[in-house]
Amino acid sequence: MGRGRAKAKQTKVARNLKYQTLDTDFDQLQRELHGEPDGAVEEPDPELLEKYADFADSESGPPK
């Protein structure tokens, strides 16, 4: 009992997914799956680089 509303919502979502048309960019998907950069590489924050530079240099990792 009480499952009618949830089932109706699931049916609605399933129907939307079934009949929805999407413009899929297969070339972008292929680049993403193969790990090729898309050209929009964000530069890291210089303050964060300086703050954590000690951890990057040490082989033992962060202090415990």
Side-chain angles (χ1 to χ4, degrees), residues 3 10 14 16 18 22 25 28-29 37 45 47 50 52 61:
R3 193 165 172 258
Q10 289 174 350
N16 285 339
K18 182 177 180 180
L22 298 174
D25 185 1
Q28 173 63 27
L29 178 62
D45 187 14
E47 291 179 12
E50 185 177 326
Y52 294 106

Side-chain angles (χ1 to χ4, degrees), residues 32-64:
E32 184 177 334
L33 291 175
H34 287 289
E36 298 174 14
D38 60 354
V41 177
E42 186 177 320
E43 292 294 323
D45 187 14
E47 291 179 12
L48 286 176
L49 288 176
E50 185 177 326
K51 182 177 180 181
Y52 294 106
D54 299 345
F55 299 124
D57 292 338
S58 69
E59 293 182 19
S60 62
K64 294 180 182 178

Side-chain angles (χ1 to χ4, degrees), residues 7-37:
K7 185 172 185 204
K9 184 169 183 170
Q10 289 174 350
T11 303
K12 180 181 177 184
V13 169
R15 191 175 294 122
N16 285 339
L17 289 173
K18 182 177 180 180
Y19 295 112
Q20 184 179 18
T21 58
L22 298 174
D23 295 330
T24 305
D25 185 1
F26 291 107
D27 293 329
Q28 173 63 27
L29 178 62
Q30 184 177 12
R31 286 191 299 272
E32 184 177 334
L33 291 175
H34 287 289
E36 298 174 14

